[in-house]
Amino acid sequence: MDEHVDMAWDKIKERLGDMGTSCDDIVQKITFVTEMDEWFRHDIWYQNRWLKKNSPKLMEEEPAGTLLQVSRLALPEMKVEIQVIAVVPE
């Protein structure tokens, strides 16, 4: 799941950049995982590592968030999906 976490955040960063905003402007985060125990055992560490490197502001001012366990995601090989809502500056 760790590489899925990095991949998800890399895509989020890229998409937000394309829209003229950044991870610093995220106001809500929804994380879907297929294995809650694995998330807390390992993968939250990978997420925090990515955030510290790429968006330390999110670590200081954590947005509203939801964490849900699901039986599977759209692509069976995926173990995590992260959705965000961000404010796009004018």
Side-chain angles (χ1 to χ4, degrees):
M1 193 183 291
D2 53 336
E3 53 195 47
H4 296 180
V5 172
D6 285 344
M7 184 172 39
W9 279 108
D10 286 343
K11 283 188 177 259
I12 289 168
K13 180 180 178 182
E14 178 184 338
R15 296 276 171 92
L16 291 175
D18 291 346
M19 295 174 58
T21 190
S22 73
C23 291
D24 290 344
D25 297 317
I26 293 172
V27 295
Q28 183 178 14
K29 173 181 64 158
I30 304 169
T31 305
F32 301 90
V33 298
T34 57
E35 296 290 335
M36 188 71 73
D37 290 338
E38 185 176 344
W39 175 260
F40 284 112
R41 203 170 27 251
H42 303 288
D43 298 305
I44 197 164
W45 182 87
Y46 286 99
Q47 175 176 268
N48 289 341
R49 180 188 69 174
W50 191 97
L51 291 173
K52 283 178 188 175
K53 180 180 177 186
N54 295 280
S55 183
K57 181 181 173 186
L58 274 185
M59 296 293 297
E60 297 167 13
E61 300 172 24
E62 191 171 348
T66 303
L67 175 63
L68 299 167
Q69 181 172 327
V70 295
S71 59
R72 68 172 283 222
L73 296 165
L75 299 174
E77 65 275 11
M78 296 304 293
K79 297 184 179 212
V80 64
E81 179 178 315
I82 303 168
Q83 296 179 359
V84 299
I85 297 173
V87 175
V88 178
E90 293 185 45

